[in-house]
Amino acid sequence: MAVAVENLLTPDIHKPARYLGNEFGAFHKPWDNSQVRWVLTYPEVYEVGASNLGHIILYNILNSQPRQLCDRAYLPAPDLAQKLRATDTPLFAVESRRSLIDFDILGFSLSYELGATNILEMLSLAGIPLTWQERLKGSQKCHSQHFPFPLIFAGGQTATSNPEPYADFFDFIALGDGEELLPEIGLIVQEGKANQLTREELLLDLAQVPGVYVPQFYRMAEDGSVLPIRDDVPERILRRVATPMPAYSIGLVPYVETVHDRLVIEVRRGCTRGCRFCQPGMLTRPARDVEPEKIVDTIEKGISTTGHNEFSLLSLSCSDYLALPAVGTEIRNRFKNENISLSLPSQRVDRFDENIANIIGGTRQSSLTFAPEAGTQRMRDIVNKGLTNEELLRGVKTAYEQGWDRVKLYFMIGLPGETDADVLGIVETVNWLQEECRAKGRKKLQVTLTISNFTPKPHTPFQWHSVSVAEFQRKQELLKAEFRRMKGVKANYTDVRLSGMEDFLGRGDRRLASVIQRAWEKGAGMDSWWESLDRAFAAWSDAIAESDLSWKYRQVENGEWNVFENTENNPELYKEQINSLLDQPLPWDHIDTGIDKNWLKEDLQKALAEATIPDCSFAACSHCGVCGPDMGHNIVVPPPPIPEFVGQFVPNQNRVQRLRVWFGKLGEMALVSHLDLARLFARAVRRSNIPIAFTGGYHPSPRIIPASALSLGVTSTGEVVDFELTEVMDVVGFQSKLVSQLPVGIPVYRVEEVEVKSPSLSQVLEKAEYILRVRKTDDSAQDLIQDCKTIEEFEGNDCSTLNWQGWVEAIINRESILWEQKTKSGKVKVVNLLDRLFELEFLEYPTALNSCLTSSYESNWNYETDGIIRYVGSYQNDGTLLKPQNIIYMLEQVSKLQFELLHIHRQNLFLG
């Protein structure tokens, strides 16, 4: 039987705070006032999904639409997924806690090939049929509520690139940018519901919207092409293009630390460098810069709104945003005294200079990542990287001279036309960079390498190439043998099995849907996580073997064909064979990305000739076919003057006031960990503009010092924390500012000023008061209940009170209860727990309910086996503690029964 979601979000699951849905910046629009209800789902764990910029932007945009609401859902971790299945509870949206099946539209981000199994897992957990064919069977006319199942759609890079392997799972696909497309879809669904359209009629209306692909209106022909089955849908579906909207990037502030735990602002969408391996570079054209003033204003507003202490400027090629040095310097100057740092994604090493070094340097110097991609100039020309050895050395040497002792470099192996000499060129390049980057008194440059396996992607000049898993393995061994002999180099390699599966799916057709579903049924999921690879590869291998597509995967394992082979022997015949292969239909030809397929063929020929083409944002048009009325043109904003850099952040360590705050941690905020609570306080202080002092050292942090940590799941009305300030504040004003930025579950009870030089909280902390809800374990409960009935029958006493009160008195009357305690050094020390106990009493249930417990306990209260214990025990910084678990132990010693803790509430902390 399904249970309430809050009963599943307990401390025994990992990071329960990821599922609360009440983060700062979350929307809670009234359900009944909304005519269209979206739920945007990211098919990865919360830490990945909640920090995805596209997810945040679309969530904010949809919630800005009148009469529409948008909730969120993520792939639950295995522990919660197990709970959902065990209780038959459907997967829920985090804000409303409603089942996903209650919504009108359910959207998935499909950003990488192997994410499809995660989507099937989420659909299954939600109780939604996996394919549109199954959902169609249950569909009826749309009425005032909604269809039996939501409309299921996907967006994202992989969905736009080649939706065919996943076509059976989705009612429609959103191609390209969604900022303008999704609101249009919402209006059509709203009208469709009002007009009571059937599911098919509604999808037909959606198919008329540029950027919406409805797979059920198309079929796959024998030659692999995809054709419409009716005349009223377009033969080719146009990819949508939108201008970046940085204001919508200001959004959620998660409690838990996410993958990108910072404010992220997009400065440039699209890339026209023309790297021949790069699918994002082809699928995001044309390039569109955001005006520098908008970026600066958005970051300034975003930092003050969210409380983040780090921001990132995002683009496929961030260094090609010419205003980057000016924007970064201006922001660093404005936040010079607030410990705000800037991080940048992988950069163009040829554009790295002292100006960029200034804006990303400082006390929390971020790592530097460059992507040469190939180890020889020949290979960089083949892939059109546009990078010379001289530019590579100049960029890395600049980083070294500006204080970076360590850099990260990205390379690929398995590129078209690659020889063993090109592979070993990676080793030579790294060795050369280390030799050139030396200085007296400093160790040589430390290099961390990521060696990826090239997998060809649709809509790129290399889409006709085929990889070889066997060759990947061989080339990795070549590199490993060389790097073993080099000092200061750490190399990481992509698992070849992962690359093989990505290629198998990424360039497949509709026949793969059954393979994907079977792989999920056999346990595939979270396949890009290295911990899951063995299980995932076994599942995929079995699913492929059961299909009639084993021959296709063997081509991936062995290498199907290489367009760079046999170019010298009989070139005319080879050219004829090449043209024949290039003219064959591809499963994604019906997706109009704007790139001319003939241009891709011509660019492939240029790769064969090792010829490069310039970046059309800064040089002549390359005639790729994108620019025009449908998708616009490249927008390059001239760079403004770079402001004078006023210097790196110097932490203000001047402490002129200490304010002591008594606060609580109630309800679901008990599921926020101690570290996450510290981060919550730091962001609340920044949002409220409280002049907090900083620590010194390499990682300055705000001087917010709690008395002690509170275990996960423990509620409290007695927590204490000190805030040390650089300016004197009125106590009432400070409390008002702080409270305005804290969630409801973190009430502030009082604030008082204490001497700055007075002992710290940890030094004066002496005792703690707890209230425990305790229950006998099931095995002993039956015996106790029988005893209770006997006592009540013959003595007329209240059994529960008699036993609990008797046990408490027995503890108090004992002279000693010994406990073996391990010291930090690992030695076992025997202590008398009673020396640490100051008060102990049994509380009547109504009294405890009024004082500390919530009414939710009444529904599951067992008067015969549950008891409430209050105690005051030692709580000192030297480890002299009386923990709640010690009380359980003492109860068991005097009663000879077994107990378990149901709930812990810390009522008070006593300071000396």
Side-chain angles (χ1 to χ4, degrees):
M1 179 182 293
V3 300
V5 170
E6 50 268 25
N7 292 334
L8 299 179
L9 303 182
T10 54
D12 62 311
I13 63 174
H14 186 55
K15 294 186 179 179
R18 52 166 62 139
Y19 308 111
L20 298 185
N22 61 346
E23 309 98 314
F24 185 88
F27 288 88
H28 294 273
K29 299 179 75 172
W31 181 268
D32 293 334
N33 294 348
S34 301
Q35 297 175 11
V36 178
R37 294 135 184 165
W38 298 74
V39 58
L40 289 184
T41 72
Y42 201 91
E44 267 288 358
V45 292
Y46 175 88
E47 289 88 327
V48 178
S51 63
N52 179 269
L53 181 59
H55 180 70
I56 293 170
I57 289 174
L58 294 177
Y59 170 75
N60 287 334
I61 287 176
L62 288 174
N63 276 309
S64 71
Q65 306 301 306
R67 296 178 297 281
Q68 300 193 27
L69 69 77
C70 181
D71 208 328
R72 300 168 289 132
Y74 305 95
L75 177 72
D79 53 4
L80 180 58
Q82 184 178 2
K83 274 192 171 186
L84 291 171
R85 284 204 164 92
T87 58
D88 201 23
T89 303
L91 182 60
F92 55 92
V94 293
E95 274 130 27
S96 64
R97 302 278 172 88
R98 287 179 175 266
S99 167
L100 299 189
I101 206 169
D102 293 339
F103 291 81
D104 298 308
I105 311 175
L106 173 54
F108 289 93
S109 177
L110 184 58
S111 55
Y112 68 101
E113 293 86 352
L114 297 178
T117 51
N118 291 350
I119 292 175
L120 298 189
E121 174 74 359
M122 293 183 73
L123 288 174
S124 173
L125 287 170
I128 297 173
L130 303 185
T131 66
W132 64 260
Q133 294 93 336
E134 295 174 90
R135 295 191 292 272
L136 189 60
K137 293 177 184 177
S139 66
Q140 301 170 350
K141 275 201 168 185
C142 187
H143 46 78
S144 58
Q145 295 178 346
H146 54 268
F147 293 118
F149 305 109
L151 290 173
I152 313 296
F153 82 97
Q157 178 180 305
T158 298
T160 297
S161 166
N162 177 22
E164 290 310 296
Y166 323 99
D168 282 356
F169 306 123
F170 301 108
D171 297 301
F172 66 91
I173 311 286
L175 304 177
D177 298 338
E179 288 94 331
E180 296 170 359
L181 175 56
L182 264 58
E184 293 175 18
I185 291 170
L187 289 175
I188 289 177
V189 172
Q190 183 176 327
E191 292 175 3
K193 289 181 67 177
N195 295 325
Q196 297 189 0
L197 299 184
T198 65
R199 196 178 188 92
E200 183 177 355
E201 289 169 339
L202 181 55
L203 287 171
L204 186 59
D205 280 356
L206 288 172
Q208 312 311 311
V209 179
V212 176
Y213 168 47
V214 183
Q216 69 185 65
F217 297 148
Y218 297 79
R219 66 176 178 86
M220 187 181 76
E222 290 185 5
D223 62 1
S225 59
V226 176
L227 305 171
I229 60 174
R230 50 191 304 163
D231 297 332
D232 49 0
V233 295
E235 289 188 11
R236 301 189 75 212
I237 305 91
L238 185 68
R239 170 179 65 94
R240 290 295 290 268
V241 173
T243 301
M245 302 177 183
Y248 288 104
S249 303
I250 303 172
L252 298 165
V253 185
Y255 295 127
V256 303
E257 186 174 6
T258 58
V259 173
H260 303 294
D261 200 28
R262 61 184 73 96
L263 175 69
V264 181
I265 302 296
E266 187 179 22
V267 298
R268 188 176 202 249
R269 184 170 299 179
C271 178
T272 48
R273 282 282 180 172
C275 297
R276 292 171 176 133
F277 56 83
C278 182
Q279 186 183 70
M282 299 295 173
L283 290 184
T284 57
R285 296 182 175 207
R288 288 140 286 159
D289 285 357
V290 181
E291 294 84 352
E293 296 80 8
K294 281 187 179 180
I295 297 298
V296 173
D297 291 345
T298 301
I299 293 171
E300 189 167 34
K301 180 182 178 183
I303 292 292
S304 61
T305 299
T306 64
H308 282 296
N309 68 335
E310 184 178 353
F311 69 97
S312 177
L313 302 178
L314 183 66
S315 172
L316 284 175
S317 182
C318 202
S319 304
D320 286 335
Y321 181 62
L322 301 182
L324 176 64
V327 167
T329 303
E330 176 65 24
I331 292 296
R332 289 297 301 274
N333 287 347
R334 292 191 187 187
F335 287 100
K336 179 182 183 297
N337 298 322
E338 298 183 40
N339 195 26
I340 304 299
S341 60
L342 165 65
S343 67
L344 294 174
S346 175
Q347 304 167 63
R348 292 284 308 190
V349 66
D350 50 324
R351 288 192 185 273
F352 185 80
D353 57 18
E354 291 184 13
N355 291 318
I356 295 179
N358 280 337
I359 64 177
I360 62 177
T363 53
R364 289 189 292 125
Q365 196 176 65
S366 60
S367 61
L368 275 178
T369 303
F370 301 121
E373 309 295 1
T376 64
Q377 189 65 56
R378 170 181 169 273
M379 281 309 304
R380 288 198 289 270
D381 290 343
I382 286 175
V383 302
N384 200 51
K385 181 63 181 177
L387 175 68
T388 65
N389 285 329
E390 291 75 16
E391 291 168 332
L392 173 60
L393 176 60
R394 184 173 65 246
V396 174
K397 202 165 188 177
T398 298
Y400 187 73
E401 291 170 350
Q402 292 297 314
W404 275 270
D405 291 319
R406 184 183 304 275
V407 296
K408 297 178 182 178
L409 300 178
Y410 282 129
F411 290 94
M412 285 191 292
I413 57 174
L415 289 160
E418 183 182 70
T419 65
D420 285 358
D422 295 311
V423 175
L424 295 175
I426 297 173
V427 180
E428 295 169 4
T429 297
V430 173
N431 183 65
W432 169 60
L433 291 173
Q434 283 188 313
E435 291 299 318
E436 293 292 328
C437 295
R438 288 181 178 272
K440 188 175 181 181
R442 290 177 63 185
K443 60 184 178 182
K444 67 178 180 180
L445 185 71
Q446 305 292 295
V447 180
T448 300
L449 298 170
T450 296
I451 312 292
S452 299
N453 308 313
F454 167 69
T455 53
K457 304 293 185 183
H459 307 289
T460 68
F462 290 162
Q463 66 183 354
W464 293 280
H465 183 65
S466 178
V467 304
S468 167
V469 173
E471 276 295 283
F472 286 153
Q473 188 71 53
R474 189 184 67 83
K475 290 175 179 179
Q476 284 186 0
E477 293 303 322
L478 277 178
L479 291 173
K480 289 176 182 178
E482 295 296 322
F483 283 130
R484 285 192 196 103
R485 296 193 286 267
M486 293 179 63
K487 294 183 178 179
V489 177
K490 179 183 178 183
N492 303 305
Y493 302 86
T494 304
D495 194 291
V496 298
R497 299 170 297 176
L498 189 66
S499 303
M501 290 186 287
E502 285 178 354
D503 187 43
F504 177 66
L505 287 176
R507 295 187 301 144
D509 53 39
R510 288 197 179 188
R511 293 174 294 176
L512 293 190
S514 60
V515 178
I516 295 171
Q517 183 168 342
R518 188 64 179 139
W520 166 74
E521 292 169 350
K522 287 181 167 290
M526 301 183 73
D527 297 342
S528 65
W529 294 67
W530 63 268
E531 302 98 320
S532 309
L533 263 178
D534 290 339
R535 184 193 70 238
F537 185 69
W540 280 105
S541 298
D542 290 347
I544 293 168
E546 291 179 12
S547 71
D548 59 353
L549 299 174
S550 295
W551 59 271
K552 182 174 177 59
Y553 187 72
R554 281 196 297 273
Q555 289 178 336
V556 174
E557 288 184 311
N558 302 322
E560 186 176 354
W561 66 293
N562 188 328
V563 296
F564 280 75
E565 291 177 352
N566 304 318
T567 54
E568 296 181 0
N569 300 328
N570 201 344
E572 290 302 318
L573 176 62
Y574 183 71
K575 184 177 181 180
E576 183 179 336
Q577 293 173 341
I578 286 288
N579 288 334
S580 175
L581 287 166
L582 300 186
D583 289 337
Q584 291 178 3
L586 296 170
W588 50 88
D589 281 344
H590 60 299
I591 305 300
D592 185 1
T593 66
I595 301 285
D596 188 337
K597 189 176 180 180
N598 288 324
W599 181 83
L600 294 176
K601 295 177 184 177
E602 293 168 4
D603 202 35
L604 178 61
Q605 298 298 332
K606 290 178 181 177
L608 291 168
E610 301 175 16
T612 60
I613 56 173
D615 185 341
C616 63
S617 289
F618 311 104
C621 178
S622 62
H623 304 288
C624 70
V626 166
C627 291
D630 289 329
M631 297 186 179
H633 298 78
N634 294 330
I635 300 174
V636 179
V637 176
I642 301 174
E644 181 182 354
F645 184 57
V646 298
Q648 302 290 357
F649 165 76
V650 177
N652 188 343
Q653 302 179 61
N654 185 30
R655 299 177 292 147
V656 301
Q657 186 182 34
R658 182 190 291 181
L659 296 178
R660 183 157 292 169
V661 176
W662 276 261
F663 70 98
K665 196 177 180 188
L666 304 176
E668 290 187 339
M669 294 309 296
L671 299 176
V672 175
S673 73
H674 177 67
L675 290 177
D676 292 332
L677 181 66
R679 190 161 40 246
L680 184 154
F681 272 129
R683 288 172 176 166
V685 162
R686 279 190 289 272
R687 289 197 297 266
S688 56
N689 202 28
I690 291 173
I692 197 75
F694 283 90
T695 63
Y698 186 70
H699 291 287
S701 58
R703 295 193 66 88
I704 303 172
I705 308 105
S708 73
L710 195 65
S711 299
L712 192 68
V714 177
T715 58
S716 176
T717 50
E719 298 308 288
V720 191
V721 60
D722 281 352
F723 293 80
E724 297 185 339
L725 310 183
T726 60
E727 301 173 15
V728 174
M729 287 189 71
D730 172 68
V731 171
V732 175
F734 169 87
Q735 181 169 344
S736 176
K737 279 191 169 187
L738 183 63
V739 169
S740 70
Q741 298 300 325
L742 292 176
V744 174
I746 307 290
V748 172
Y749 303 119
R750 73 180 193 272
V751 179
E752 67 178 37
E753 186 172 1
V754 297
E755 287 292 330
V756 173
K757 294 184 179 180
S758 61
S760 67
L761 281 170
S762 61
Q763 292 175 306
V764 297
L765 184 59
E766 291 187 348
K767 298 183 291 185
E769 178 185 12
Y770 286 90
I771 296 179
L772 313 178
R773 182 182 170 200
V774 183
R775 182 176 67 190
K776 276 194 82 293
T777 57
D778 291 340
D779 291 340
S780 301
Q782 295 303 318
D783 294 337
L784 178 62
I785 291 171
Q786 186 59 46
D787 292 342
C788 283
K789 290 179 180 178
T790 302
I791 293 172
E792 289 173 354
E793 181 178 350
F794 290 100
E795 300 181 20
N797 291 321
D798 181 351
C799 170
S800 59
T801 303
L802 177 64
N803 282 283
W804 289 102
Q805 186 65 44
W807 297 328
V808 167
E809 291 176 359
I811 293 173
I812 295 173
N813 293 329
R814 291 276 289 267
E815 292 186 0
S816 68
I817 298 179
L818 302 181
W819 170 268
E820 289 187 352
Q821 175 181 307
K822 270 193 175 182
T823 64
K824 291 182 179 180
S825 61
K827 295 181 180 179
V828 175
K829 178 182 178 183
V830 177
V831 298
N832 181 5
L833 293 178
L834 293 178
D835 292 339
R836 302 179 177 189
L837 178 65
F838 304 115
E839 297 178 27
L840 181 69
E841 66 175 320
F842 167 72
L843 297 181
E844 296 287 348
Y845 174 64
T847 303
L849 181 64
N850 292 333
S851 64
C852 67
L853 299 178
T854 64
S855 58
S856 63
Y857 282 112
E858 273 199 276
S859 60
N860 61 350
W861 186 266
N862 187 331
Y863 292 91
E864 294 180 319
T865 63
D866 289 7
I868 300 176
I869 303 294
R870 185 191 75 85
Y871 82 92
V872 176
S874 60
Y875 203 97
Q876 298 178 24
N877 191 42
D878 62 0
T880 307
L881 310 176
L882 187 66
K883 299 178 181 180
Q885 291 78 8
N886 298 143
I887 301 297
I888 296 295
Y889 176 76
M890 289 193 281
L891 282 171
E892 292 176 341
Q893 292 300 300
V894 299
S895 68
K896 307 305 179 184
L897 300 172
Q898 292 182 331
F899 297 86
E900 60 180 330
L901 269 173
L902 297 181
H903 182 73
I904 303 172
H905 178 84
R906 188 147 76 187
Q907 186 82 346
N908 209 346
L909 290 174
F910 298 92
L911 308 179

